[in-house]
Amino acid sequence: WTSVQSSVQLGVTFAGLTESKTENALRRAKNFVDLCAVLRATRCYFCGLHHYMDMSIQYILEIIGTFAFAISGALAVKDTDYHDWFAASFTAFLTSIGGGTLRDVLLGSYPLVWVSDIRLIYTIMAALGVTFIFYKRLIRWRRTMFLFDTFGIALFTIVGTEKALSLGVRPEIAAIMGVFSAVMGGAIRDVMTNELPIIYRKEVYATACFAGAVCYLVMDGLGAQRIVAFLTASILIIVIRILAVRYRWQVPKFFR
């Protein structure tokens, strides 16, 4: 404002205006500067709010993915010989944080995500409580575990891809890290429950995750809004998984 005031006074001096006109000119200039400051502050506020909402929605989706994977891990021990509280808790924990932990270790991102954010641990505990209370209904629904696992891999794929990008790796590596984030938790769960890891079965699983990661990278490269790219890629993974199971799609064999 000081520099603007000096400029106005200099212009008034050259123009030879009266004292009252000088005061009017200064008043108008000050009002204009105040208006510009208000508009600039408003713009910064809405830009910050948009960024915060973007990050908040992404975080909520990450929490949902953790919750879904924890339920699928807890349900996986139902048909084993060891289905006590410790077995269910340990399997749920490894299922929900295993892929993200591997991703962070490979990318050198410390502290690990579940170490730095205690809410993830609380989310797993909440999922265990829900599974314990409603497990009869969940087990009765034959495809429950499939649905929770599908939602989990969809959300974790994009979260992992985006985190890898934020750490400065190339898009190709980011897609691989996204797939690791999604499938390794389920692979650990299957090994812990003496099942053939789902990535080695005939179902389309990791391929759906890779397709979703590529979709996100393409949309991000085209300048799409983060939440739009996030949701679109997640929905693509879910749709591919459901259609693959419904119509028994399979990845072509390597050895014919």
Side-chain angles (χ1 to χ4, degrees):
W1 163 243
T2 302
S3 60
V4 172
Q5 187 179 24
S6 301
S7 300
V8 171
Q9 289 177 339
L10 182 61
V12 167
T13 301
F14 279 109
L17 299 179
T18 62
E19 184 176 349
S20 61
K21 291 183 176 180
T22 301
E23 291 179 357
N24 288 336
L26 288 172
R27 190 180 303 111
R28 291 173 182 172
K30 187 175 188 306
N31 291 338
F32 178 75
V33 171
D34 290 343
L35 177 61
C36 289
V38 171
L39 292 175
R40 187 180 300 111
T42 303
R43 179 177 178 273
C44 291
Y45 170 77
F46 280 107
C47 287
L49 180 62
H50 180 268
H51 178 71
Y52 173 77
M53 289 179 65
D54 249 9
M55 295 301 294
S56 297
I57 293 174
Q58 177 191 343
Y59 184 72
I60 290 172
L61 292 175
E62 185 172 1
I63 291 294
I64 293 173
T66 301
F67 188 84
F69 255 154
I71 289 180
S72 75
L75 289 176
V77 304
K78 175 64 174 62
D79 296 325
T80 65
D81 295 331
Y82 305 97
H83 48 263
D84 56 16
W85 264 94
F86 177 79
S89 303
F90 191 64
T91 308
F93 185 81
L94 289 179
T95 304
S96 54
I97 60 93
T101 299
L102 177 62
R103 175 202 65 215
D104 289 349
V105 169
L106 291 176
L107 293 174
S109 176
Y110 298 100
L112 302 177
V113 62
W114 57 271
V115 175
S116 61
D117 189 355
I118 192 63
R119 295 184 187 90
L120 295 178
I121 304 298
Y122 293 152
T123 299
I124 297 171
M125 293 170 63
L128 283 168
V130 170
T131 307
F132 176 73
I133 296 172
F134 299 106
Y135 83 93
K136 289 184 178 179
R137 294 183 182 180
L138 295 175
I139 292 297
R140 204 176 298 138
W141 193 6
R142 188 171 59 89
R143 294 188 180 275
T144 298
M145 185 172 163
F146 162 75
L147 291 174
F148 279 112
D149 187 70
T150 299
F151 278 109
I153 64 170
L155 298 176
F156 272 32
T157 297
I158 312 306
V159 168
T161 302
E162 190 167 62
K163 179 164 186 179
L165 285 176
S166 69
L167 294 175
V169 304
R170 291 181 55 86
E172 300 92 327
I173 304 300
I176 295 173
M177 291 297 103
V179 175
F180 274 19
S181 301
V183 306
M184 293 309 297
I188 295 172
R189 175 199 64 214
D190 292 339
V191 170
M192 294 292 293
T193 55
N194 293 322
E195 295 285 343
L196 178 68
I198 195 168
I199 56 176
Y200 291 137
R201 301 175 198 170
K202 294 181 179 181
E203 300 178 15
V204 175
Y205 191 76
T207 307
C209 298
F210 186 74
V214 171
C215 174
Y216 178 83
L217 291 171
V218 171
M219 294 187 68
D220 182 66
L222 294 176
Q225 291 186 358
R226 175 183 296 171
I227 186 60
V228 174
F230 198 109
L231 291 176
T232 302
S234 298
I235 292 172
L236 175 64
I237 296 173
I238 293 172
V239 170
I240 291 176
R241 268 295 280 154
I242 292 175
L243 292 178
V245 173
R246 173 66 178 81
Y247 296 105
R248 298 184 179 181
W249 292 348
Q250 298 181 10
V251 178
K253 293 182 179 179
F254 185 77
F255 297 104
R256 296 178 182 272

